[in-house]
Amino acid sequence: MTPLARYLPILDWGRSYTGAQMSSDLIAAVIVTIMLIPQSLAYALLAGLPPEAGIYASIVPILLYAVFGTSRVLAVGPVAVVSLMTAVAVGQVAEQGTMGYALAALSLALLSGVMLLAMGLLRLGFLANFLSHPVIAGFITASGVLIAASQLKHILGVPAQGHTLLEMAASLAAHAAETSLLTLAIGAGAVAFLFWVRKGLKPLLLRLGLPPGLADFAVKAGPVGAVVATTVLVQAYGLHTQGVAIVGAVPQSLPPLTLPSFSLELLNTLLVPALLISVIGFVESVSVAQTLAARKRQRIDPDQELIGLGAANLGAAFTGGFPVTGGFARSVVNYDAGAETPAAGAFTAAGLAIAALFLTPLVYFLPKATLAATIIVAVLSLVDFSILKRTWVYSKADFLAVAATLLMTLGLGVEAGVSAGVIMSLLLHLYKTSRPHVAEVGRVPGTEHFRNIRRHKVETSPGLLSLRIDESLYFVNARFLENLVLDRLARDKDLRNVVLMCSAVNEIDYSALENLEAINQRLKEQGIGLHLSEVKGPVMDRLQKTHFLEELNGRVYLSQFHAWQELSGAA
């Protein structure tokens, strides 16, 4: 790959683009476009923006990702979690429905794009690893609940507010008497229909003799069916004059050129939300991209993905959109529909541009309750409370991270939830690594293998203590190892040699080195030898740059078995 193709992957796959690939990409684009039209409108509603913003955010960003992204099937655009985070962040600085609100959303996309682009150029994709899977699972589950709850006001037709579950519940209860029965009937009916489409439509169509491919297409087009049916219903009976809120006029135009605000005060206020949106969006996107790429034995470049997503968000900022990322549902649909290259995304953008130019008048009478139903059905598939049970059984520490993230997100909002999750993950990691597992090992009889004396029947030698350290040594846990060795020496006055088995030690930092020197000095004063075994090459390279090996009151053995052979006889 040429240096230019490294940053412009389109130059790589574009050179070998074939007619067969174009045919597959076009078919996939048609299917994804049909799915994206109602979804884009719905996610704009979730973000608190005019419906056309959802379509605008799905055109230029997709085109830019096709140029800079490395995934062949990732579909970029508005997604539920990022749309909710946008509403929360922008709602703190401007009132929904005002020009300032839309301007703040553009500025949020700008900040997110700049951050992602900078992280990509600096090759900082590894930073996403600070969000553990349990934290992400807890956050997405809680966000799914929050998103579904936030849409109940559209289902009921009431002006409820709130960013946390308690606030939403209190507001919905306060406005319950204002519920529009017509709106409720439309919204509840759409939710029931969409759930049935997901579970029951395909088996029915297959029983009726429809080919599986067409049955799948009908399921994916289910939201469009709900949109068409409820729009016709409202228009035919004039339900919009009886309290049913509708989308109303949507401009017939391509995405306009827009300019975000460069106010330092506004950008400073949006800085932390933009960082959280960037990291969450990247983690969600790269997880989907890696999963789908693995199915075709392809690979993606996480750092280049940052650049692709950064370009997409910058595109959204200057074309009337809001923050975007790779969406799970649409990417899976794109994959299942046979997309071969990112050109499928470009064709999808063209389809959405046609819809923006010619089809927007058709959604004038579309009930907002239908869009809310679309969001609710989509996000409830993200809710997975079983992660609590699984982590409780497997790891109490991971359970704490999941539970804290989930409760903080529901109780204090998405920003507090994900921040708590990250902090909890780091604290738990530091706690666990501060008390590394250190096993006293003995030889499995008749072999050269050494195992934990508490788990296996092994041979030990009087006067010889062999400790296997199952963690890298650094400033957090260095003192723990020193205390453990000295406590063990205090209990056994007959010890003559101590061997630290370092097969699992990938690094020894300077603080840990000083503690090893202290251990060595204490043992030397007591006439006890300190030895190392199975030290990895990179660790040995760093030790050789110090005086530690010269002052070591013992030897460094290639294997634990060699140490055992020599020291058990001398012990």
Side-chain angles (χ1 to χ4, degrees), residues 216-242:
D216 284 330
F217 179 79
V219 171
K220 294 179 178 69
V224 177
V227 165
V228 171
T230 55
T231 301
V232 170
L233 185 66
V234 170
Q235 184 176 12
Y237 293 98
L239 300 183
H240 60 294
T241 64
Q242 302 176 49

Side-chain angles (χ1 to χ4, degrees), residues 32-59 62 76-80 83-84 87 96 147 151 154 223-228 230-231 245-253 320-322 324 330 351-376 378:
V32 174
T33 301
I34 291 172
M35 174 189 177
L36 274 186
I37 291 173
Q39 198 177 77
S40 298
L41 298 173
Y43 289 150
L45 180 74
L46 176 58
L49 292 162
E52 62 269 19
I55 296 179
Y56 297 161
S58 301
I59 296 178
I62 296 178
V76 171
V79 301
S83 297
L84 174 65
Q96 189 172 322
I147 292 168
Q151 297 307 295
H154 297 296
V224 177
V227 165
V228 171
T230 55
T231 301
I246 60 173
V247 168
V250 178
Q252 283 183 266
S253 69
F322 55 98
V324 298
R330 73 184 62 141
L352 290 170
I354 293 171
L357 282 173
F358 302 109
L359 301 182
T360 51
L362 300 179
V363 300
Y364 182 92
F365 292 100
L366 172 60
K368 289 186 177 180
T370 302
L371 294 180
T374 302
I375 294 173
I376 289 172

